[in-house]
Amino acid sequence: MENLVIIRSISKSPLTTQSKQESQSEFSQKPIKSSISFAKNPLPKFIDSHLDSLCKNGSLNDAVTVLDSVAQQGSKVTPRTYMNLLQSCIDTNSINLGRKFHARISVVQEKSPVIETKLVSMYAKCGYLRDARKVFDEMSERSLFTWSAMIGACCREKRWKEVVELYYMMMKDNVLPDGFLLPKILQAVGNCRDVKTGELLHSFVVRCGMGSSPRVNNSILAVYSKCGKLSLARRFFESMDERDIVAWNAMMSGYCLKGEVEEAHRLFDAMCEEGIEPGLVTWNILIAGYNQKGQCDVAMNLMKKMVSFGVSPDVVAWTSMISGFAQNNRNGQALDLYKEMILAGVEPNGVTITSALSACASLKVLNTGLGIHSLAVKMSFVNDVLVGNSLIDMYSKCGQLGAAQLVFDLMSEKDLYTWNSMIGGYCQAGYCGKAYVLFTKMQKSQVQPNVVTWNTMISGYIQSGDEDQAMDLFHRMEKEGEIKRDNASWNSLIAGFMQIRKKDKALGIFRQMQSFCISPNPVTILSMLPACASLVALKKVKEIHGCVLRRNLVSVLSISNSLIDTYAKSGKIEYSRAIFDRIPSKDFITVNSMITGYVLHGCSDSALGLLDQMRELGLKPNRGTLVNIILAHSLAGMVDEGRQVFSSMTEDFQIIPASEHYAAMVDLYGRSGRLKEAIELIDNMPIKPQSSVWYALLTACRNHGNSDLAIRARENLLDLEPWNSSIHQSILQSYAMHGKYEDAPKVKKLEKRNEVQKPKGQSWIEVNNTVHSFVAGDQSTSYSDLFSWVERISMEAKVHDLHCGCCIEEEEEEEKEEIVGIHSEKLALAFAIIRSPSAPQSIRIVKNLRTCADCHRMAKYISAKHGCEIYLSDSNFFHHFKSGCCSCGDYW
């Protein structure tokens, strides 16, 4: 009888790992031969037994050789043996061997849907879903088990839409899901937020009589909850005969997703009353719900409470808390919790690391970030794209762009956020050239720039002052990048032009934006308004206000607050009050803005009245509020009351006085002539006096004629602001007046070293929708009619005002008119009176220097003579002249 020779590899140890198996291809070098003699037609049972033995020993490569020999002899193996081989591939995650067995499917006695189903499972469980789907699609007959295998594989990969598609294909094949498969399909439907398919499946469950299955019912409930159909979910929940903890969790989760965390908490209490103890998942649902709503303290108390119930917080609970604090700008507490979690022995996951790095980035704490990076490396999280992105963001915000670039370069997988984070880091640091190089590389990569990328580049260039490159990118993004510009694209340009102080160009972009039918959003409005907070920009403020009304943005509290502030600074305090009164729900910023406006306009009684209203609203004054309240008492001459507010700050409001509060107190004492108390306060300050304190003292000295203290104030200001030309000018005047010539050379030397230029007075006024600029001493022939008018009115004002000016009149920021010529604000006033087509009811002037006493006197006289209101904003004060009086009370 002829013998059959079977080629067999001699192997001392079974092959069990994927890497070893996969290192040998079908066409590798020939193995050492050994001869095993069988009859020419060996018994199938013997072959199956031999293959089963090879499976158990892990000798799968030998099994491939045996199958080849079997095929050569025209023999077959049983389906059971073949499926055992496929199962061994699943167990050892050996996709290459699985492909080899698939290629030899012809040796199976009978090719059936069962075997093909096993192939689908093998490919899916080895992580090759595309191959599994290919086998699945080529099957002529699919059983319920086949559909279950394919749907189960998609569920494991979280390909929820594909699961829903497979469900509809399954129904077309007249294959109905069973109680085991239905929950998987329902899970996918819920994650897709496909409520219509959910209702269809619910109907199917009722018709097929599967409504008694708790697992199926819980899955239906989860669909309604995830889809936000809480009324349907609650009705179904109440109708359930048996409600286990999974049902309660699904219902609570639905309420938390909708932001109705209080109702979820009520369900939690009801569940406990029914005797169902909350599990770890239940606690985590509530903790996450409160954190997402910003109620981190409540969430923290819940985490402490769960410990008292004997449930230890897991990484999900800790991560939820850390993420909650970080997202609600409580980054210090987020990092404290992270450290506490590590000490508790709970290992962080990728989300924990990401949240902690985000907190480090916000606080710019590089050392802590380095520690977290080190832990991420030890725990092999650095390959996680989210962790990598967070590291880039952290290093960029901490100013370590080299480290950020290194992380970027080492990342094997980069998503859109990775590129945007690195480009954004360079742009924020002002390295737009490096950002552009990266931007160009991104365009050539598989990840293409999106609208955020383009906007980041535009913002980076415009904020660096390169408006040409910014505008070029702005126009290219739709042509080259095929990216439609959004609100943020326009806002980037507007904010950039504002930052580089090109307000007219910003307003032009704002108008162009609307002409392109792009509706300004709150960010647009909030970018524009602060730049228009000027006396010569009132019409622009009204234009923006009109846009706010047309776009129905007045209900946005931050916009209304900004309008209050902007109108006040534009001289329309009555408009500010009208907006204030129409706001239904005011916050402390609303009241602060209105108080600040009243103080600016010298309306002390109205400002103090709002303090009472603030208390009625249950709003607590902050630092800014208290500064303005002290200034309001100063304006009203209520020294004792102002001092009482200052003294009670720490005890009543837990606010430690800062430099701005001391400056307000110096103003309080100085306005009342109590200079001795003012200087005592300064000398006893626990912190170093800042410029604002010395400016307040200088103003008091000017008005009360204390030249010695004035010199001291100027000398301190010179130390703090050596670059300030006005200080140089006034201190030299003081030394000259008081014979301190020996000190003048020191100032001049400092002046020369800092290249300080003497200040030149300049004023701006809007007449007939045009802003006109005037410079002190302007001798232009076009203004010849103004000069004679100014001289005449100045003389009239001096005669009218028997009390002429301050005691230290010579010590001004601006040089005397005898030296520089007529001051700019006088020219602006003359222009407004003479060149206006009709008698102006109000005149608005902005000046770069402090107005002198003579100009102040003249403005008062004109307001009385011509019956107009004059608003003059100088470097020191906001003046509102009306009927011969000024809101500053002649103290500025």
Side-chain angles (χ1 to χ4, degrees):
M1 186 181 287
E2 296 178 17
N3 292 332
L4 174 67
V5 178
I6 298 180
I7 309 291
R8 182 175 181 273
S9 298
I10 298 174
S11 177
K12 292 183 179 179
S13 60
L15 191 60
T16 57
T17 62
Q18 179 183 355
S19 59
K20 288 181 181 178
Q21 291 170 358
E22 294 180 3
S23 66
Q24 300 180 31
S25 72
E26 260 182 295
F27 308 104
S28 59
Q29 62 181 5
K30 292 182 180 179
I32 300 170
K33 295 182 181 179
S34 68
S35 296
I36 301 177
S37 297
F38 297 126
K40 186 174 182 179
N41 295 307
L43 293 173
K45 287 184 180 180
F46 178 79
I47 298 173
D48 290 339
S49 176
H50 184 54
L51 287 170
D52 286 344
S53 176
L54 292 174
C55 282
K56 290 176 183 177
N57 294 329
S59 304
L60 297 181
N61 274 315
D62 293 351
V64 173
T65 307
V66 171
L67 286 180
D68 286 338
S69 297
V70 169
Q72 287 173 10
Q73 297 302 317
S75 298
K76 300 287 183 180
V77 297
T78 63
R80 182 192 62 77
T81 301
Y82 185 75
M83 286 194 292
N84 284 344
L85 292 171
L86 293 177
Q87 184 61 47
S88 295
C89 294
I90 294 171
D91 295 340
T92 57
N93 197 28
S94 304
I95 185 62
N96 282 352
L97 285 166
R99 292 187 196 281
K100 290 176 182 179
F101 290 136
H102 185 189
R104 291 158 176 79
I105 195 171
S106 59
V107 301
V108 185
Q109 289 175 357
E110 182 184 355
K111 184 179 176 183
S112 67
V114 176
I115 291 177
E116 291 177 310
T117 300
K118 193 67 178 180
L119 276 169
V120 170
S121 294
M122 185 273 294
Y123 279 120
K125 290 179 180 177
C126 286
Y128 288 81
L129 195 59
R130 183 180 295 178
D131 296 82
R133 184 62 189 260
K134 187 174 183 297
V135 174
F136 176 84
D137 289 338
E138 290 173 354
M139 290 175 67
S140 58
E141 182 184 347
R142 304 183 191 97
S143 67
L144 176 60
F145 296 107
T146 313
W147 288 100
S148 297
M150 195 66 236
I151 288 172
C154 290
C155 283
R156 284 192 296 274
E157 295 293 320
K158 298 183 179 179
R159 294 169 71 160
W160 308 119
K161 286 184 179 179
E162 196 169 339
V163 172
V164 177
E165 290 169 4
L166 285 167
Y167 161 69
Y168 281 109
M169 288 171 61
M170 178 182 178
M171 296 298 283
K172 282 183 182 178
D173 273 8
N174 294 318
V175 179
L176 302 180
D178 60 4
F180 173 79
L181 186 56
L182 263 174
K184 292 182 179 179
I185 299 171
L186 285 164
Q187 182 188 16
V189 169
N191 288 325
C192 290
R193 306 295 190 265
D194 186 353
V195 70
K196 288 185 178 179
T197 304
E199 290 173 340
L200 182 68
L201 283 164
H202 186 184
S203 174
F204 169 78
V205 167
V206 172
R207 289 198 309 272
C208 294
M210 286 192 278
S212 60
S213 168
R215 191 160 173 260
V216 172
N217 284 338
N218 290 342
S219 299
I220 293 170
L221 180 61
V223 169
Y224 288 136
S225 294
K226 287 178 182 177
C227 293
K229 299 293 181 180
L230 294 183
S231 56
L232 286 174
R234 190 61 179 261
R235 198 182 313 147
F236 184 74
F237 177 76
E238 299 290 352
S239 68
M240 289 171 69
D241 295 329
E242 183 183 343
R243 291 188 297 231
D244 58 12
I245 193 168
V246 177
W248 287 94
N249 286 348
M251 200 67 239
M252 281 185 272
S253 179
Y255 280 116
C256 287
L257 285 171
K258 271 280 192 176
E260 298 179 29
V261 67
E262 290 81 9
E263 184 60 30
H265 206 146
R266 280 192 284 272
L267 274 174
F268 174 85
D269 294 335
M271 181 185 78
C272 293
E273 288 175 7
E274 288 196 11
I276 299 175
E277 288 189 10
L280 184 60
V281 174
T282 317
W283 290 104
N284 287 346
I285 288 169
L286 271 185
I287 289 168
Y290 277 112
N291 277 317
Q292 286 165 8
K293 207 173 180 184
Q295 297 178 342
C296 301
D297 294 323
V298 180
M300 193 71 219
N301 288 334
L302 273 172
M303 196 165 91
K304 292 174 181 175
K305 189 176 179 181
M306 72 186 285
V307 175
S308 68
F309 272 67
V311 181
S312 297
D314 64 350
V315 67
V316 176
W318 284 101
T319 301
S320 177
M321 284 307 315
I322 292 165
S323 176
F325 277 122
Q327 288 172 9
N328 287 284
N329 204 28
R330 295 170 68 174
N331 298 294
Q333 288 168 280
L335 291 178
D336 288 342
L337 268 180
Y338 170 79
K339 292 169 187 173
E340 192 178 332
M341 182 191 81
I342 298 299
L343 290 172
V346 178
E347 284 194 355
N349 58 22
V351 181
T352 324
I353 297 290
T354 300
S355 300
L357 286 170
S358 172
C360 291
S362 298
L363 295 174
K364 298 181 180 178
V365 284
L366 180 61
N367 288 338
T368 307
L370 287 168
I372 296 170
H373 188 180
S374 175
L375 182 62
V377 171
K378 290 177 184 175
M379 299 186 69
S380 301
F381 284 132
V382 285
N383 293 324
D384 186 319
V385 176
L386 289 176
V387 173
N389 293 344
S390 299
L391 282 167
I392 291 170
D393 184 56
M394 185 273 293
Y395 281 124
S396 296
K397 288 179 179 174
C398 291
Q400 300 295 315
L401 289 172
Q405 182 70 59
L406 184 60
V407 172
F408 178 87
D409 292 339
L410 290 173
M411 287 177 68
S412 56
E413 182 186 349
K414 299 178 181 73
D415 64 6
L416 189 60
Y417 189 83
T418 315
W419 287 93
N420 286 349
S421 295
M422 197 65 245
I423 290 170
Y426 279 127
C427 285
Q428 287 169 11
Y431 297 116
C432 294
K434 290 186 177 181
Y436 190 78
V437 170
L438 208 58
F439 176 73
T440 307
K441 286 182 180 177
M442 184 181 182
Q443 288 178 308
K444 296 174 183 176
S445 74
Q446 293 181 341
V447 182
Q448 288 299 295
N450 68 347
V451 69
V452 175
T453 323
W454 286 89
N455 290 347
T456 302
M457 290 298 304
I458 292 167
S459 181
Y461 273 113
I462 191 97
Q463 289 177 12
S464 297
D466 193 344
E467 57 181 279
D468 292 335
Q469 184 67 18
M471 290 303 297
D472 179 60
L473 284 165
F474 183 76
H475 293 302
R476 278 170 50 196
M477 68 186 292
E478 287 196 349
K479 293 178 183 177
E480 292 181 18
E482 299 181 350
I483 300 290
K484 187 176 180 180
R485 293 187 289 253
D486 62 2
N487 282 85
S489 310
W490 295 88
N491 290 346
S492 296
L493 282 179
I494 290 169
F497 278 123
M498 289 297 189
Q499 185 170 323
I500 61 176
R501 299 184 178 181
K502 293 192 175 181
K503 299 176 185 177
D504 290 337
K505 287 194 175 182
L507 188 62
I509 296 292
F510 175 72
R511 290 167 179 163
Q512 188 181 354
M513 175 186 187
Q514 294 175 83
S515 71
F516 276 82
C517 299
I518 305 294
S519 299
N521 61 12
V523 176
T524 321
I525 302 300
L526 292 171
S527 295
M528 287 295 303
L529 280 174
C532 299
S534 167
L535 288 173
V536 294
L538 178 60
K539 289 182 180 177
K540 293 176 182 176
V541 180
K542 289 181 177 179
E543 178 186 338
I544 297 167
H545 191 183
C547 175
V548 168
L549 294 171
R550 288 193 303 275
R551 305 295 178 192
N552 197 29
L553 295 173
V554 74
S555 59
V556 179
L557 186 58
S558 57
I559 290 179
S560 292
N561 291 345
S562 188
L563 279 169
I564 291 170
D565 179 69
T566 306
Y567 270 125
K569 290 174 180 174
S570 301
K572 282 292 183 181
I573 191 68
E574 64 276 16
Y575 286 14
S576 296
R577 185 65 199 227
I579 294 168
F580 177 85
D581 289 337
R582 289 192 182 99
I583 296 174
S585 181
K586 302 174 179 66
D587 63 3
F588 76 92
I589 297 175
T590 315
V591 184
N592 275 359
S593 299
M594 198 65 242
I595 291 174
T596 303
Y598 277 133
V599 170
L600 185 68
H601 284 258
C603 306
S604 57
D605 292 341
S606 299
L608 294 172
L610 281 176
L611 181 62
D612 296 329
Q613 188 173 346
M614 194 176 200
R615 291 189 184 112
E616 289 171 7
L617 291 169
L619 300 173
K620 192 176 181 180
N622 65 357
R623 290 180 170 277
T625 318
L626 295 173
V627 170
N628 282 304
I629 293 303
I630 295 170
L631 289 173
H633 282 115
S634 175
L635 287 166
M638 303 165 66
V639 179
D640 293 337
E641 290 83 351
R643 184 164 49 195
Q644 175 59 34
V645 172
F646 180 81
S647 301
S648 62
M649 279 176 60
T650 304
E651 184 178 344
D652 293 352
F653 306 110
Q654 294 76 51
I655 295 174
I656 298 171
S659 189
E660 60 267 27
H661 299 101
Y662 284 100
M665 282 301 297
V666 172
D667 184 87
L668 178 78
Y669 287 131
R671 193 179 287 269
S672 300
R674 296 158 77 160
L675 297 182
K676 183 180 178 182
E677 291 173 78
I679 197 64
E680 284 177 358
L681 179 72
I682 294 173
D683 289 338
N684 293 313
M685 281 177 64
I687 57 175
K688 183 180 178 180
Q690 298 300 307
S691 297
S692 57
V693 176
W694 295 112
Y695 274 120
L697 181 65
L698 181 58
T699 301
C701 295
R702 277 194 184 120
N703 283 271
H704 296 290
N706 193 320
S707 56
D708 291 333
L709 276 181
I711 290 174
R712 181 180 170 186
R714 286 189 172 99
E715 287 175 339
N716 279 281
L717 284 168
L718 189 65
D719 290 336
L720 292 167
E721 301 178 8
W723 44 263
N724 192 323
S725 56
S726 299
I727 300 300
H728 285 261
Q729 175 70 26
S730 61
I731 199 169
L732 284 171
Q733 289 178 2
S734 298
Y735 286 157
M737 283 178 58
H738 297 89
K740 298 181 71 175
Y741 297 106
E742 68 280 2
D743 293 321
K746 291 187 293 185
V747 180
K748 289 184 177 179
K749 185 178 179 182
L750 185 65
E751 193 175 82
K752 186 177 181 181
R753 189 175 71 209
N754 288 279
E755 296 181 351
V756 175
Q757 295 181 349
K758 289 184 178 181
K760 199 162 190 179
Q762 190 172 5
S763 296
W764 295 265
I765 186 171
E766 185 183 25
V767 176
N768 297 332
N769 297 323
T770 304
V771 175
H772 301 270
S773 175
F774 298 90
V775 179
D778 195 336
Q779 298 297 319
S780 174
T781 55
S782 60
Y783 296 148
S784 56
D785 57 329
L786 305 183
F787 303 146
S788 57
W789 187 90
V790 168
E791 289 178 9
R792 178 173 58 82
I793 294 297
S794 293
M795 188 58 67
E796 288 179 14
K798 286 181 180 179
V799 171
H800 180 268
D801 192 350
L802 298 176
H803 182 69
C804 296
C806 302
C807 297
I808 320 177
E809 177 63 27
E810 293 82 359
E811 298 179 30
E812 298 293 347
E813 290 182 3
E814 192 170 11
E815 290 188 296
K816 287 290 187 178
E817 288 186 337
E818 291 81 358
I819 302 172
V820 298
I822 298 173
H823 285 173
S824 58
E825 62 266 53
K826 285 185 179 178
L827 292 172
L829 283 167
F831 187 88
I833 298 293
I834 296 173
R835 300 287 178 88
S836 295
S838 58
Q841 292 183 338
S842 67
I843 300 171
R844 300 167 188 277
I845 301 169
V846 175
K847 188 181 179 183
N848 65 330
L849 300 176
R850 176 182 180 269
T851 191
C852 71
D854 190 49
C855 294
H856 191 270
R857 184 189 307 117
M858 181 175 168
K860 288 200 298 181
Y861 177 72
I862 291 172
S863 71
K865 181 178 181 179
H866 291 273
C868 62
E869 294 184 47
I870 299 171
Y871 298 89
L872 172 60
S873 176
D874 66 15
S875 63
N876 215 48
F877 209 83
F878 182 96
H879 305 269
H880 179 192
F881 301 94
K882 184 178 181 181
S883 304
C885 297
C886 180
S887 60
C888 72
D890 297 336
Y891 183 93
W892 76 102

